[in-house]
Amino acid sequence: MPQEEYLTIPVGKLGIIALESCKGIAKKIDNYIVDWRNNRNHEHTETIHFNEYKKDSYLVDISCPRFGTGEAKGMLHESVRGDDLYILLDVTNYSMTYTVCGQVNHMSPDDHFQDLKRIIAAVGGKARRITVIMPFLYESRQHKKSSRESLDCALALQELVNMGVDGILTFDAHDPRVQNAIPLNSFETIQPTYQFIKALLRNVPDIIMDAEHTMVISPDEGAMGRAVYFGNVVGADVGMFYKRRDYTTIINGRNPIIAHEFLGSNVDGKDVIIVDDMISSGESMIDVATELKSRNARRIFICSTFGLFTNGLEKFDEAYEKGLFDRLITTNLVYQTEELLSRPYYTSADMSKYIALLIDAMNHDGSISEFLSPTARIQNLLNKHKAQQANTQKSTD
């Protein structure tokens, strides 16, 4: 992708703060920006406004050490005065541990969110601007009140804003309307549709994305918006399952699903792409794949932004062996185990370049509209794929 020669000056010196939960993807993001800026020739590079514009790294040295009781503190090991800061964290990274009185605890989303607040507190208002990049939005599934219960996501957003955060960038928010909690602050939720399509075309080169050969499926009513956009940009038909639940029973905090009912046209002989925001236990996704196979779907591809796999991968291994799905694609926005990455059916959609583009544009106070709605880029990708398929067909004739 060609890099913009921005005509605007940076908002401030760029600083990227990566909490321990996402050091891996942050390093990739940093490498992209370092490379772009070292190769970018700006006519005003020597002016004071571009002080430290080109650096070997934009990562800020921070830490969150803990006492023996499990209490912690956020620490900055270099100055961030006047910086345009971007703080990245993965609240779902359960692989990280800390010790409490000799006992090992795995970090929960609450622990990660508390560390975020510690770092913001350590900045102490000295930064020019603070943007939090939280791919999996903290408590995003607790976004609406149906009884006497807390609204955790709204409270968290308000707390960050009150601490001095200027903007929040997230991916595929469970319900984007949660931004109503902070109506005067920037809140952007981004769909990884482009990366999903790119991964599919790269790994399944014979796929034909049109209404005759392909169908996009929403596994429930909540994901319908994602499926409609996906289907529209690739020119495929869209269908939906809705979950019939037993509201007289509560198991593990939720009403159990009795059945998945399908609404849509015939899937017989078509490739099917299931699109959702997250895979938690994975039971619903496998049930949907089973229902589609019973309706004689040809191949099934699962695309989900966040692969949490809270109950492990065994059920997906069994489903793949039974032929219930052909490929599973999730992003690297959340923690991925080596076990997952080694699975023959799994593909990781790398989002590091996308985030680097966002940070680079925002630091220049540039527009990010094309990243929020990448329809033109998707069409270019699809046209190239169709041309390659046509050339392949000519060479075989």
Side-chain angles (χ1 to χ4, degrees):
M1 180 184 300
Q3 285 311 298
E4 294 283 350
E5 294 294 338
Y6 293 104
L7 301 177
T8 55
I9 64 174
V11 174
K13 289 188 300 181
L14 176 60
I16 301 173
I17 295 180
L19 272 68
E20 197 64 36
S21 56
C22 59
K23 289 283 189 183
I25 190 171
K27 185 62 179 174
K28 290 183 178 180
I29 293 167
D30 184 52
N31 288 339
Y32 276 119
I33 298 177
V34 168
D35 182 57
W36 295 337
R37 294 196 171 186
N38 283 334
N39 291 294
R40 183 179 292 158
N41 295 315
H42 199 291
E43 60 179 317
H44 302 296
T45 304
E46 301 304 320
T47 66
I48 192 171
H49 302 294
F50 283 79
N51 183 34
E52 296 188 49
Y53 185 73
K54 297 183 178 182
K55 298 173 65 176
D56 293 332
S57 176
Y58 299 94
L59 293 172
V60 178
D61 187 13
I62 61 107
S63 63
C64 288
R66 289 184 181 267
F67 301 99
T69 56
E71 299 166 289
K73 61 180 177 181
M75 298 180 66
L76 299 179
H77 302 294
E78 59 184 274
S79 173
V80 294
R81 184 177 294 275
D83 285 9
D84 183 22
L85 292 181
Y86 296 83
I87 308 178
L88 292 90
L89 76 157
D90 172 16
V91 298
T92 66
N93 191 338
Y94 62 89
S95 69
M96 298 178 59
T97 60
Y98 62 95
T99 304
V100 180
C101 300
Q103 304 298 314
V104 176
N105 277 11
H106 285 265
M107 289 187 69
S108 70
D110 293 340
D111 291 320
H112 289 296
F113 186 69
Q114 196 66 26
D115 277 356
L116 169 64
K117 292 193 294 181
R118 290 181 176 114
I119 292 300
I120 295 171
V123 172
K126 302 300 187 296
R128 177 72 55 85
R129 185 175 66 178
I130 298 177
T131 302
V132 170
I133 301 179
M134 189 188 303
F136 185 95
L137 187 61
Y138 174 70
E139 291 288 358
S140 56
R141 284 185 284 185
Q142 187 53 24
H143 63 285
K144 62 183 179 180
K145 185 181 288 189
S146 57
S147 62
R148 291 187 181 275
E149 57 189 26
S150 58
L151 281 173
D152 294 48
C153 190
L155 286 171
L157 293 177
Q158 291 179 351
E159 192 170 9
L160 291 178
V161 166
N162 290 336
M163 292 185 73
V165 171
D166 297 276
I168 294 167
L169 198 68
T170 189
F171 285 79
D172 213 347
H174 194 65
D175 188 341
R177 290 175 295 182
V178 74
Q179 67 188 291
N180 293 337
I182 50 169
L184 300 181
N185 290 79
S186 173
F187 179 97
E188 304 291 354
T189 177
I190 302 167
Q191 302 283 341
T193 309
Y194 174 80
Q195 283 74 18
F196 286 153
I197 294 173
K198 188 175 182 179
L200 275 170
L201 298 182
R202 182 173 294 172
N203 290 276
V204 192
D206 63 335
I207 190 171
I208 302 174
M209 290 195 179
D210 58 25
E212 182 181 352
H213 300 90
T214 308
M215 193 166 181
V216 180
I217 298 295
S218 170
D220 55 42
E221 55 273 31
M224 195 60 187
R226 301 177 187 91
V228 167
Y229 177 73
F230 198 118
N232 283 342
V233 294
V234 302
D237 199 2
V238 178
M240 183 193 84
F241 282 88
Y242 73 89
K243 299 172 182 176
R244 191 146 51 87
R245 295 180 180 272
D246 179 6
Y247 287 99
T248 65
T249 307
I250 297 178
I251 299 176
N252 294 330
R254 62 181 181 177
N255 303 107
I257 298 168
I258 299 172
H260 288 85
E261 305 290 351
F262 182 63
L263 299 173
S265 58
N266 191 3
V267 300
D268 188 359
K270 291 185 178 181
D271 287 336
V272 174
I273 304 168
I274 307 174
V275 183
D276 205 0
D277 62 333
M278 71 179 75
I279 296 173
S280 186
S281 66
E283 292 178 3
S284 294
M285 196 65 78
I286 292 173
D287 288 344
V288 167
T290 303
E291 290 288 337
L292 289 168
K293 274 297 181 182
S294 70
R295 290 170 169 78
N296 202 29
R298 182 177 174 231
R299 295 181 295 185
I300 294 177
F301 308 108
I302 300 171
C303 297
S304 181
T305 308
F306 306 110
L308 305 178
F309 305 105
T310 56
N311 289 358
L313 297 170
E314 289 76 14
K315 289 183 179 179
F316 283 91
D317 293 341
E318 293 174 8
Y320 179 69
E321 290 172 4
K322 292 178 182 177
L324 295 180
F325 72 93
D326 294 82
R327 187 155 293 276
L328 170 63
I329 302 172
T330 68
T331 70
N332 63 338
L333 293 170
V334 294
Y335 171 66
Q336 298 170 302
T337 63
E338 290 299 325
E339 185 183 14
L340 172 65
L341 295 171
S342 67
R343 290 298 192 266
Y345 54 78
Y346 180 71
T347 296
S348 176
D350 187 6
M351 301 296 295
S352 56
K353 187 175 183 180
Y354 210 52
I355 297 175
L357 287 165
L358 289 164
I359 292 175
D360 194 33
M362 292 170 68
N363 180 237
H364 278 271
D365 224 9
S367 172
I368 59 171
S369 299
E370 64 172 303
F371 307 122
L372 301 179
S373 182
T375 305
R377 295 168 64 227
I378 291 172
Q379 291 305 314
N380 289 336
L381 190 66
L382 291 170
N383 290 335
K384 286 181 182 178
H385 179 70
K386 289 175 182 177
Q388 289 173 354
Q389 286 184 324
N391 290 334
T392 302
Q393 184 64 36
K394 286 180 181 178
S395 62
T396 56
D397 290 344

